[in-house]
Amino acid sequence: MDDRQDSGPPAAHGADPVDDRAAGPASADAEAAGAPRPIGSVLVANRGEIARRVFRSCRDLGIATVAVYADPDARAAHVRAADAAVRLPGDAPADTYLRGDLIVAAALAAGADAVHPGYGFLSESAPFARAVEAAGLVWIGPPAAAVEAMGSKTRAKELMAAAGVPVFGALDPAEVTAADLPLLVKAAAGGGGRGMRVVRELAALDAELAAAAAEAASAFADGEVFLEPYAEGARHVEVQVLADAHGTVWVLGERDCSLQRRHQKVIEETPAPGLPGAVRATLHEAAARAARSIGYRGAGTVEFLVARDGRPYFLEMNTRLQVEHPVTECVTGLDLVAWQLKIAEGAALPPRPPAIRGHAVEARLYAEDPARDWQPQAGPVHRFDVPGVDVEFGPLPGRESGLRLDPGVAPGDVVGVRYDPMLAKVVAWAPTRAEALRRLAHALARTRLHGPATNRDLLVRALRHPEFAAARLDTGFLQRHAAQLGIGPPAAAPPAPTGPGGVAVTDASGPEAAGERLAALAAALADAAGRTARGPVPVRIGGWRNLPSQPQLKRFRAEPGGRTHEIRYRLGRGGELTAAGFEDTALVSADPDRVVLDVAGVRRTFDVAAYAERVFVDSPFVCTALTALPRFTEPGERAAPGSLRAPMPGTVIRIGELAPGDRVERGQPLLWLEAMKMEHVIAAPAAGTLTDLTAEVGRQVELGAVLAVVKEETGP
């Protein structure tokens, strides 16, 4: 396909404004909001990347900034970026960022004029919006009534149906049949994939309804769920709207957000590639109609599923700024946050929005391991460098292309398990889609992020996948291509062979594993160079011996993915390298922070950085995170056979109806952990007997903590 057709003239994208002045006079809320009220200081009721993003626009407009922070965020990047900061005592979101009364008090104490909610937390809470305004502060968002109207997905669908917006009809669980499958269970007050389940067998419906209700109650304090058809193979397409208090509604194009994991977006782009013009026009008109029907004001997004037959269905309206708003800013040149602030001050939008220019693609960089069922990761960030970045947290005015970074962390920050695992958003903008994809993949592949394991490699593979390049997109893309993209959990396999001390060795074949092994060799040689340099007399690596030496042995585990690599090597008198499995590789030079290898006649340079047992090997060809493994396992680190360890730090939120002595089946859920806004099931690894259950609801557990023990059944 011709990528330029997807970034053509404005009329092709329906970018013309929808002006609803003719629909009647503005509401009383809109008239009140239209009165000019200059803002001098803004408190952002949020954290991380979005707080820093809002601060950027405030600075550009000459507005002072106030941050709030929970105790784990006391030294976080968003706190350092603000002019002032107010502590919210505690560490759990329910005690801090979800306490509207504390946030309003913080705004008043800091002398702020207004509150910007960001996204997540209280951004779509009508009671919070009213509390802000009741305190005499400006609410930088839509009217509380509009937030309330869209707050319940069930109520929102009723309103949209009445306004003529196409919607899925809700189903009665007692009346569905096999002909209705597959089905989707959704939380009425949900978001971010929480409280959502796909049901493919009627026998599983009751259990999935109960599980979704329990998750929704835990996440949103509202256990209401509903049932609707699941559109297999559909695309997730959303429309950005911007409305003022004077009767103007802009439609600023659409975004394709089909690449998702656990119903949460991973890659987003605009314009939506390959979308027929008639479908695009229908989406834009439906979004404008939705905004008008609730008297909307500010930035908002109307989300749709587009079925395989091209018919769109309303999903929900996000009455706030979206995570993926930067792609719209890139192709329009607008600063949406600045316009949120101006509209809150009473400003009017111009008659027409800017034209759409080029194509923009955003990738969300998460601290998680896709190869291990998306397990969240935690720990310190030592280095974070994305090459070629043109701007942070802002549009790219006056340019035809560029690379934008919206980081939520900075070197020195610690990624915890209390909050969303997103570390940053990387956005590429270019005249065509193909150019934008190539630039974004190139930047991500060379990103140096020394810290927790991330989904960086998955993003690069997805962006370079031929199906993605051809714009054959739907919400099942990642699942359908899981094996090629490195998504786990992998299929069951026999136990890996072990080396001395019981350390598993799982060397694998394939280009990715080969790259990891080369990085592990560079790490081993850099470590040897460091130990030599620290000796009493500095000598060249591989110093002279009068007898042949035994091979040196180092073991590393690659993160993410978990493959372990055993490196055995020997260095001759002149530094000649002999290494098992590297017959075509010669050592050019080795220093503690840089190793140069000749691989089959091609010289490759590897930069090596070690932080305790964590080692990061970066080059233009491979960027690999490794954990150095001990040669021998300490006796105290060995757990009883059948022990189920916590795969990440988290909180035990539910335990199955089980007790020690009960029989369990392989794959049977035993308990649920919550970490970084996601639930993780801890299941029985084999059929057998539950002999111990140490987990307790509400208990915070560390990585590797023993939660339960299952004694596996043995044959006769």
Side-chain angles (χ1 to χ4, degrees):
M1 63 177 286
D2 183 355
D3 289 300
R4 292 186 186 275
Q5 292 178 357
D6 286 325
S7 55
H13 300 298
D16 290 342
V18 178
D19 190 333
D20 66 351
R21 288 189 175 92
S27 67
D29 271 348
E31 289 176 0
R37 185 174 175 185
I39 296 172
S41 177
V42 170
L43 179 142
V44 179
N46 220 294
R47 64 180 300 279
E49 166 265 331
I50 183 55
R52 299 181 70 189
R53 167 68 189 93
V54 176
F55 293 159
R56 158 67 189 262
S57 291
C58 287
R59 285 196 302 271
D60 290 347
L61 293 173
I63 297 173
T65 56
V66 181
V68 288
Y69 64 91
D71 289 340
D73 282 339
R75 294 181 174 83
H78 80 278
V79 177
R80 300 195 299 270
D83 296 321
V86 181
R87 177 188 175 222
L88 304 175
D91 54 5
D95 299 327
T96 54
Y97 298 108
L98 290 173
R99 285 283 302 274
D101 56 334
L102 296 182
I103 292 173
V104 169
L108 295 173
D113 305 312
V115 172
H116 191 299
Y119 46 70
F121 294 130
L122 296 170
S123 62
E124 294 179 280
S125 168
F128 179 57
R130 290 193 174 100
V132 169
E133 293 177 332
L137 302 167
V138 176
W139 168 249
I140 303 173
V147 177
E148 192 167 55
M150 296 291 103
S152 167
K153 289 183 172 63
T154 51
R155 175 61 177 150
K157 291 194 174 189
E158 293 171 358
L159 291 172
M160 294 301 99
V165 176
V167 301
F168 275 125
L171 300 173
D172 184 344
E175 297 180 359
V176 297
T177 67
D180 297 313
L181 296 172
L183 302 167
L184 186 64
V185 182
K186 298 178 73 173
R194 305 294 298 274
M196 190 178 294
R197 299 286 192 281
V198 176
V199 181
R200 300 186 183 279
E201 299 178 2
L202 282 181
L205 178 58
D206 289 343
E208 295 292 13
L209 284 167
E215 184 179 9
S218 171
F220 312 113
D222 184 343
E224 181 187 353
V225 298
F226 64 96
L227 196 63
E228 68 181 20
Y230 179 61
E232 201 89 60
R235 293 174 65 175
H236 186 137
V237 182
E238 61 189 29
V239 179
Q240 177 71 59
V241 297
L242 188 65
D244 64 20
H246 306 279
T248 298
V249 176
W250 279 0
V251 172
L252 297 171
E254 77 292 331
R255 300 182 286 253
D256 189 292
C257 306
S258 297
L259 262 69
Q260 302 177 3
R261 57 98 166 100
R262 293 187 170 185
H263 307 290
Q264 291 181 313
K265 302 163 189 173
V266 176
I267 296 176
E268 305 101 348
E269 58 181 306
T270 188
L275 198 66
V279 175
R280 177 176 282 117
T282 298
L283 292 173
H284 289 194
E285 176 56 34
R289 193 180 301 124
R292 288 196 298 267
S293 70
I294 59 172
Y296 201 77
R297 184 175 71 244
T301 300
V302 187
E303 303 197 358
F304 299 88
L305 276 182
V306 178
R308 285 173 174 170
D309 61 7
R311 288 188 294 177
Y313 297 95
F314 172 82
L315 278 177
E316 61 182 333
M317 183 174 188
N318 292 136
T319 53
R320 54 171 169 79
L321 197 68
Q322 288 280 84
V323 176
E324 55 274 18
H325 76 275
V327 293
T328 297
E329 293 187 321
C330 286
V331 299
T332 61
L334 294 172
D335 183 332
L336 292 179
V337 174
W339 269 111
Q340 284 185 298
L341 295 164
K342 294 174 183 177
I343 289 170
E345 289 181 315
L349 290 167
R352 303 179 68 85
I356 302 295
R357 304 171 302 148
H359 198 97
V361 187
E362 172 182 293
R364 302 189 190 188
L365 195 61
Y366 284 111
E368 63 186 11
D369 188 345
R372 294 179 177 175
D373 197 27
W374 310 100
Q375 289 178 8
Q377 307 292 303
V381 176
H382 304 288
R383 180 178 182 181
F384 185 21
D385 176 36
V386 180
V389 170
D390 297 296
V391 67
E392 289 191 0
F393 298 114
L396 295 155
R399 298 176 62 95
E400 294 300 324
S401 64
L403 191 71
R404 167 174 167 172
L405 175 67
D406 284 23
V409 297
D413 288 348
V414 176
V415 178
V417 298
R418 293 284 189 181
Y419 313 112
D420 188 275
M422 190 174 72
L423 303 177
K425 302 178 304 195
V426 188
V427 188
W429 173 46
T432 69
R433 181 174 187 263
E435 291 172 285
L437 294 183
R438 182 173 61 194
R439 179 158 188 181
L440 182 56
H442 181 87
L444 286 168
R446 287 158 176 76
T447 292
R448 298 186 178 186
L449 204 166
H450 299 173
T454 73
N455 67 334
R456 187 270 310 274
D457 293 341
L458 165 77
L459 296 173
V460 174
R461 295 187 204 108
L463 290 166
R464 291 174 172 169
H465 196 283
E467 292 289 301
F468 186 79
R472 288 192 279 270
L473 310 174
D474 62 75
T475 55
F477 182 92
L478 294 184
Q479 183 178 5
R480 187 167 61 253
H481 300 293
Q484 294 170 283
L485 299 175
I487 299 171
T498 59
V503 177
V505 179
T506 57
D507 285 331
S509 59
E512 183 180 351
E516 290 176 359
R517 277 185 53 77
L518 200 58
L521 174 63
L525 294 171
D527 177 70
R531 286 186 283 107
T532 300
R534 290 191 295 269
V537 179
V539 296
R540 184 174 58 186
I541 182 171
W544 182 84
R545 293 181 173 88
N546 61 358
L547 295 174
S549 64
Q550 292 296 314
Q552 298 294 311
L553 172 64
K554 292 287 290 185
R555 291 189 180 88
F556 299 92
R557 182 177 63 247
E559 307 290 356
R563 280 186 292 261
T564 59
H565 299 280
E566 183 177 275
I567 304 297
R568 294 180 181 271
Y569 70 94
R570 182 187 291 113
L571 292 166
R573 295 181 180 181
E576 301 87 356
L577 173 67
T578 303
F582 296 95
E583 287 73 20
D584 61 349
T585 302
L587 174 63
V588 178
S589 64
D591 294 298
D593 58 358
R594 175 165 291 189
V595 172
V596 181
L597 299 172
D598 186 300
V599 183
V602 178
R603 184 169 292 192
R604 301 180 184 272
T605 300
F606 301 87
D607 292 319
V608 183
Y611 310 90
E613 75 281 357
R614 293 279 282 165
V615 185
F616 297 87
V617 182
D618 298 312
S619 82
F621 310 98
V622 60
C623 294
T624 305
L626 304 166
T627 297
L629 302 175
R631 293 188 62 183
F632 301 99
T633 303
E634 295 292 334
E637 296 178 357
R638 297 170 183 163
S643 294
L644 279 72
R645 294 180 179 269
M648 78 289 288
T651 302
V652 178
I653 58 172
R654 279 189 287 155
I655 295 177
E657 296 180 0
L658 296 164
D662 289 351
R663 188 182 185 282
V664 296
E665 298 295 335
R666 176 175 179 169
Q668 180 177 348
L670 304 182
L671 56 99
W672 288 258
L673 279 182
E674 182 178 68
M676 291 184 173
K677 294 174 64 179
M678 291 194 292
E679 283 192 4
H680 304 267
V681 178
I682 307 299
T689 302
L690 181 67
T691 61
D692 195 8
L693 184 62
T694 59
E696 298 177 0
V697 174
R699 175 185 167 197
Q700 183 77 26
V701 297
E702 297 300 323
L703 172 68
V706 176
L707 304 173
V709 180
V710 174
K711 183 179 179 181
E712 186 175 355
E713 288 180 347
T714 57

